[in-house]
Amino acid sequence: MDVLTQGACVAWRTPVARESFPRDLVGLPRHFTRRHSLKLPRKILIGLTSSPNRLEHGKIENLAIRSQRLDSDGVGAMITNRDEKNHLSEFSDALQTVAKALEDVAVKKALAQDEAAQWKHKYELELLRNSQLERSIASRALDSSRQDNLSVTSVISEGDIDATEFRSSPQNTQTRSNGYLQYKETIQNSKVLSYSPDLFNNLYLDTQLDSKISEKASFTLTLDPVDERRKEQNHDLVSFDDGDINAEVRSNKQIALVWNSSPASVFILLKPNAAAVQQLCEEMVWWLREQNVTKIYVEPRVKAELMEENADFEFIQTCETEKQLVTINKSVDLVITLGGDGTMLWAASLFKGPMPPLVAFSMGSLGFMTKFQSSMYRESLQAIMKGPAYITLRHRLHCQIIRHDRETDDNTSSESAEYLVLNEVSIDRGMSSALSNLECFCDGHFVTIVQGDGLIISSPSGSTAYSLAAGGSVVHPQVPGILFTPICPHSLSFRPLILPDYVTLRVQLPLNCRGQAWASFDGKGRQQLWGGDALIVRMSEWPVPAVCEKESSGDFLRSVRESLHWNRRNIQLADERPSPSH
Ligand SMILES: NC(=O)c1ccc[n+]([C@@H]2O[C@H](COP(=O)([O-])OP(=O)(O)OC[C@H]3O[C@@H](n4cnc5c(N)ncnc54)[C@H](O)[C@@H]3O)[C@@H](O)[C@H]2O)c1
Ligand SMILES: Nc1ncnc2c1ncn2[C@@H]1O[C@H](COP(=O)(O)OP(=O)(O)OP(=O)(O)O)[C@@H](O)[C@H]1O
């Protein structure tokens, strides 16, 4: 019966009394259970019959489908029993039962995807460890050959790496390799690749690059070497290789950056449309040249503005093409930002993997994370480049959108996209008037369904940004955790959570959700999510190593007091005459 093969047919006895109505399904036809596709079957036929004795439990005979009325969304019912009114409510019960069965299948598939994502991550970490081991063996071999005065030419210089060859070779077409994010190029054979943030979401980056020797100044990250008491305890808690700072084994102790050789290349990022920022940049560039900083990178927009002022800035380098920008981490010792928190977020967004130490000068509005005074840039940079300099490892979140085999508007299947965020990823209901309906899982365990305006999943650094505004806790940036903060939940009992930093969170849109949802990454790059899509969030192994003005806790507490006026209150006056001693 072709109609049945296209739909699930559910039949059950029709007892006289409702309470004896069997709650479970008498039995779904085999072809339905075989196709436990997540997509709702196009047609669901619920058949009722007036002669229950024709049905045996668990077996479905041919149902005489005398008439079928399929309403608009393809769900129809054939009701032969004269007493239609009573059975319509049973009909809706049956639909709920079928929907529950579908939802169970959806949850099982989500758990399976979760597990697959976790195994994939473990596999990639193993790959990363192996490649780091190979590299350190290779560099040790190289060092010994250097002692034989063999001339070793630096194999990384601008334009030296043709990313296309990496992209085309088969072994580089994995979705991820060695931990860096992979970005699928959508601009085929473009001649001039203009630099834009969304271009980064489409880049293939193959980390074979780091198998080459980098020109970076080498450094060590150790526990607070300045403190004599800890000298004997010194051991590297944060591993790094070829300048890639990896916080796989996280430490929440004060960490210090000790240069083994003087940093000689910097990347300066400026807040746009700010004359004072550009003026400071010009001064800083000349000063850095005097400090023997041989390579100064800026963004193409900034170089154009500087050249308008003075053609002598020709020596400044830019990241003209995507491949230079993607490999910039291999040739920059220090990132300097001149702006506010957003400029720092912008700088972090350019590094889709490991990132050099970052010095943020405060030239924005609030500047919660930008602690260095621009007027003191000479003294600050001299001290930092001499070292040791305390740093705060601002852990980032790795976010991945998993589409539920969705055809996008331009008929290309929208593959999963990956993002690194320093503050948070927020999922909100956008322009939809319907409550958000977000099913949340933590390491496969069901957490809750968020029904409200949305959800914020934030890093400790982001705890003082959007999450704070939504009622989340203020968390020290070195506290290893992930904040789970609802946005205007329609519930009297929902409270924000702080989860461990080693968990994997999954936010799933139910197949039958009424509205859509929108994901934003550090407030940018909004992506629409549809029913069945999921967002996977976990702590990234690539932190932003933010240089402290003093040290982690002092900087943080000063910002909380001065930028957020936390607990600012008139002091309660003491009694003018001392109270009699007890
Ligand atoms: N309702 C809200 O409070 C709200 C709404 C949207 C976005 N945001 C935040 O804005 C961030 C984007 O910042 P932007 O500068 O690009 O946009 P923006 O210029 O609109 O700045 C938003 C404000 O958030 C502050 N801010 C950003 N990160 C912070 C942090 N880690 N701690 C304390 N304050 C912080 C900025 O200083 C700025 O004052 C997002 O990551 C999100 O956290 C907040
Ligand atoms: N180099 C850049 N290129 C493009 N956009 C940038 C760049 N630097 C900053 N932005 C954007 O400009 C906006 C304003 O920058 P920023 O947040 O630093 O200034 P602010 O808002 O005045 O300071 P604060 O964030 O401390 O309040 C931010 O949304 C940020 O994303």
Side-chain angles (χ1 to χ4, degrees):
M1 187 175 296
D2 64 340
V3 174
L4 283 188
T5 54
Q6 285 176 18
C9 164
V10 174
W12 62 87
R13 295 181 188 292
T14 49
V16 175
R18 271 183 57 81
E19 54 280 3
S20 63
F21 179 69
R23 279 278 155 255
D24 60 328
L25 296 177
V26 166
L28 285 174
R30 256 195 330 281
H31 63 269
F32 175 77
T33 45
R34 224 182 12 257
R35 286 184 310 110
H36 50 75
S37 138
L38 270 180
K39 285 191 176 63
L40 280 166
R42 279 194 305 285
K43 291 189 177 79
I44 291 181
L45 272 183
I46 306 295
L48 290 176
T49 167
S50 56
S51 48
N53 56 0
R54 284 180 48 209
L55 288 176
E56 286 155 33
H57 188 77
K59 181 164 161 289
I60 293 175
E61 290 169 4
N62 277 341
L63 279 178
I65 306 271
R66 291 203 183 79
S67 70
Q68 40 179 312
R69 270 180 298 106
L70 297 184
D71 51 28
S72 61
D73 65 2
V75 176
M78 177 277 296
I79 294 171
T80 58
N81 193 306
R82 281 187 300 283
D83 182 357
E84 288 201 2
K85 194 161 43 55
N86 288 347
H87 291 302
L88 272 182
S89 61
E90 285 153 3
F91 168 74
S92 66
D93 285 356
L95 271 186
Q96 283 166 18
T97 314
V98 172
K100 181 79 184 65
L102 287 175
E103 200 155 333
D104 291 348
V105 168
V107 170
K108 289 189 175 66
K109 178 170 181 181
L111 292 177
Q113 276 178 343
D114 250 5
E115 195 171 345
Q118 286 167 23
W119 278 110
K120 197 168 91 166
H121 177 54
K122 287 179 184 142
Y123 167 71
E124 283 143 10
L125 277 183
E126 207 46 49
L127 267 186
L128 179 66
R129 278 195 200 96
N130 295 342
S131 66
Q132 284 174 344
L133 190 60
E134 284 159 18
R135 280 204 306 277
S136 55
I137 292 167
S139 57
R140 272 198 289 276
L142 200 64
D143 286 349
S144 59
S145 69
R146 271 188 181 148
Q147 275 134 32
D148 303 341
N149 295 324
L150 289 181
S151 69
V152 176
T153 53
S154 138
V155 288
I156 282 196
S157 64
E158 290 181 31
D160 184 16
I161 298 159
D162 176 0
T164 44
E165 75 180 70
F166 284 107
R167 276 200 295 276
S168 56
S169 48
Q171 74 271 16
N172 299 323
T173 53
Q174 305 159 22
T175 51
R176 271 168 63 97
S177 70
N178 306 340
Y180 289 9
L181 299 178
Q182 289 289 323
Y183 301 90
K184 185 153 291 173
E185 180 183 358
T186 54
I187 303 173
Q188 303 296 350
N189 311 320
S190 57
K191 293 287 169 289
V192 178
L193 293 172
S194 65
Y195 158 70
S196 73
D198 34 16
L199 190 60
F200 274 95
N201 295 328
N202 311 306
L203 281 187
Y204 264 122
L205 160 66
D206 186 83
T207 54
Q208 306 305 322
L209 309 177
D210 55 8
S211 60
K212 312 226 178 208
I213 310 151
S214 80
E215 296 169 332
K216 293 182 69 167
S218 67
F219 53 79
T220 312
L221 295 181
T222 61
L223 261 185
D224 198 354
V226 179
D227 179 337
E228 289 310 317
R229 286 166 300 147
R230 290 208 185 118
K231 210 116 181 105
E232 65 288 349
Q233 298 160 4
N234 264 358
H235 53 281
D236 294 358
L237 272 177
V238 176
S239 64
F240 82 103
D241 211 336
D242 290 349
D244 291 353
I245 295 175
N246 184 311
E248 201 184 313
V249 176
R250 287 186 194 83
S251 148
N252 51 12
K253 305 249 179 343
Q254 182 56 59
I255 292 168
L257 166 70
V258 180
W259 298 103
N260 301 331
S261 55
S262 295
S265 65
V266 301
F267 183 18
I268 307 177
L269 288 126
L270 278 61
K271 170 183 172 181
N273 315 318
V277 169
Q278 181 170 330
Q279 190 181 338
L280 180 80
C281 178
E282 292 172 20
E283 271 182 54
M284 187 181 279
V285 164
W286 295 121
W287 180 81
L288 286 168
R289 293 268 286 176
E290 293 160 12
Q291 311 302 312
N292 301 322
V293 173
T294 53
K295 278 192 172 183
I296 299 174
Y297 292 91
V298 295
E299 295 170 277
R301 162 185 66 84
V302 174
K303 175 156 186 182
E305 290 165 358
L306 292 173
M307 290 296 284
E308 272 175 26
E309 294 298 316
N310 181 344
D312 295 345
F313 282 120
E314 184 53 43
F315 64 87
I316 292 179
Q317 307 188 46
T318 62
C319 322
E320 290 296 349
T321 60
E322 60 180 64
K323 65 186 172 191
Q324 284 166 326
L325 202 56
V326 158
T327 56
I328 192 79
N329 172 56
K330 292 295 165 202
S331 45
V332 162
D333 295 323
L334 203 57
V335 176
I336 296 173
T337 61
L338 306 180
D341 295 315
T343 304
M344 190 167 167
L345 295 171
W346 174 268
S349 70
L350 300 185
F351 293 85
K352 311 287 184 186
M355 179 170 182
L358 181 147
V359 187
F361 284 95
S362 185
M363 298 192 80
S365 315
L366 181 74
F368 187 90
M369 299 186 287
T370 57
K371 298 319 301 167
F372 288 90
Q373 294 309 312
S374 52
S375 55
M376 305 286 287
Y377 77 85
R378 297 179 184 81
E379 296 79 358
S380 303
L381 288 176
Q382 247 163 6
I384 291 166
M385 294 198 288
K386 178 170 172 287
Y390 283 152
I391 58 172
T392 297
L393 290 182
R394 290 186 177 278
H395 293 300
R396 292 194 279 182
L397 296 174
H398 176 279
C399 311
Q400 187 172 9
I401 294 178
I402 295 186
R403 296 294 183 187
H404 171 64
D405 348 316
R406 167 90 37 216
E407 290 300 311
T408 50
D409 299 348
D410 56 2
N411 285 327
T412 53
S413 74
S414 62
E415 305 207 359
S416 70
E418 298 181 71
Y419 301 84
L420 278 185
V421 295
L422 172 54
N423 271 349
E424 82 287 302
V425 55
S426 61
I427 307 105
D428 60 58
R429 56 191 177 86
M431 302 301 286
S432 162
S433 58
L435 274 186
S436 71
N437 184 342
L438 307 173
E439 295 170 348
C440 302
F441 300 85
C442 173
D443 280 351
H445 306 294
F446 176 68
V447 177
T448 187
I449 295 181
V450 178
Q451 300 185 87
D453 280 357
L455 172 68
I456 298 168
I457 298 177
S458 170
S459 71
S461 294
S463 70
T464 45
Y466 200 177
S467 173
L468 171 93
S473 297
V474 176
V475 180
H476 185 292
Q478 288 292 176
V479 170
I482 299 179
L483 284 78
F484 183 90
T485 308
I487 308 173
C488 305
H490 195 248
S491 156
L492 285 176
S493 57
F494 203 142
R495 286 291 175 271
L497 294 178
I498 298 179
L499 299 163
D501 66 342
Y502 51 75
V503 299
T504 299
L505 296 176
R506 176 193 190 87
V507 180
Q508 175 90 37
L509 261 69
L511 276 166
N512 57 353
C513 61
R514 277 200 220 160
Q516 303 97 26
W518 292 82
S520 289
F521 305 91
D522 279 349
K524 305 262 183 324
R526 280 171 79 76
Q527 299 278 327
Q528 186 167 2
L529 303 176
W530 287 276
D533 290 350
L535 176 74
I536 310 282
V537 183
R538 61 174 174 78
M539 194 56 85
S540 164
E541 61 269 42
W542 310 119
V544 173
V547 180
C548 305
E549 203 234 352
K550 295 276 186 302
E551 36 80 43
S552 284
S553 299
D555 285 10
F556 169 69
L557 293 171
R558 199 164 53 254
S559 284
V560 166
R561 284 195 310 276
E562 293 168 6
S563 302
L564 293 180
H565 306 309
W566 177 70
N567 192 27
R568 175 165 288 185
R569 178 193 190 282
N570 294 341
I571 298 300
Q572 200 71 356
L573 294 176
D575 285 345
E576 282 168 13
R577 59 183 183 294
S579 55
S581 56
H582 297 300

